[in-house]
Amino acid sequence: MIIGLAVVSVSASTALGQSIVGKASYYGYGGRTASGSHVGHMTAAHRSLPFGSRVRVTNLANDRSVIVTINDRGPFVRGRVIDVSVHAAESLGFRSAGVARVKVERVSER
């Protein structure tokens, strides 16, 4: 017997001006992304933002920030809010660490 089931869905950083704080990682591979393009110089993967959206990612440990374009889906690791390209991770100063606590702010809509 099932008594009740509730499903709560939270969309992270969906409107301009909203932000979310969480963990970021980086990725890079030779294949195509979910949008049909390639991992680029300053690109990122996000679970729900439309392809072409631009977001500012700020490393909270050192206050470095970059603007990246969403062109892939992910991350698929629990607790992570965004995957950025290798170059973006280098610019943010967390490539050697692999993961950083970041703030993600949407700066343009697609």
Side-chain angles (χ1 to χ4, degrees), residues 62-73:
N62 61 18
D63 209 32
R64 292 185 192 176
S65 67
V66 296
I67 294 179
V68 295
T69 303
I70 304 299
N71 75 340
D72 203 1
R73 290 291 170 234

Side-chain angles (χ1 to χ4, degrees):
M1 178 165 86
I2 297 176
I3 296 178
L5 178 64
V7 176
V8 177
S9 177
V10 177
S11 181
S13 188
T14 56
L16 281 174
Q18 288 185 333
S19 65
I20 187 164
V21 173
K23 290 182 183 176
S25 54
Y26 71 90
Y27 71 116
Y29 54 87
R32 294 213 179 258
T33 64
S35 68
S37 62
H38 295 281
V39 176
H41 188 67
M42 292 297 229
T43 58
H46 189 274
R47 286 184 202 99
S48 61
L49 288 174
F51 296 135
S53 297
R54 294 171 51 97
V55 298
R56 176 178 291 109
V57 181
T58 303
N59 183 339
L60 297 176
N62 61 18
D63 209 32
R64 292 185 192 176
S65 67
V66 296
I67 294 179
V68 295
T69 303
I70 304 299
N71 75 340
D72 203 1
R73 290 291 170 234
F76 300 108
V77 175
R78 187 178 184 145
R80 299 201 184 151
V81 296
I82 196 164
D83 279 339
V84 298
S85 64
V86 171
H87 187 78
E90 285 179 1
S91 296
L92 289 166
F94 76 86
R95 184 171 180 204
S96 63
V99 178
R101 190 163 181 265
V102 299
K103 178 169 69 170
V104 179
E105 303 168 279
R106 190 166 178 186
V107 295
S108 75
E109 293 188 28
R110 178 67 179 175

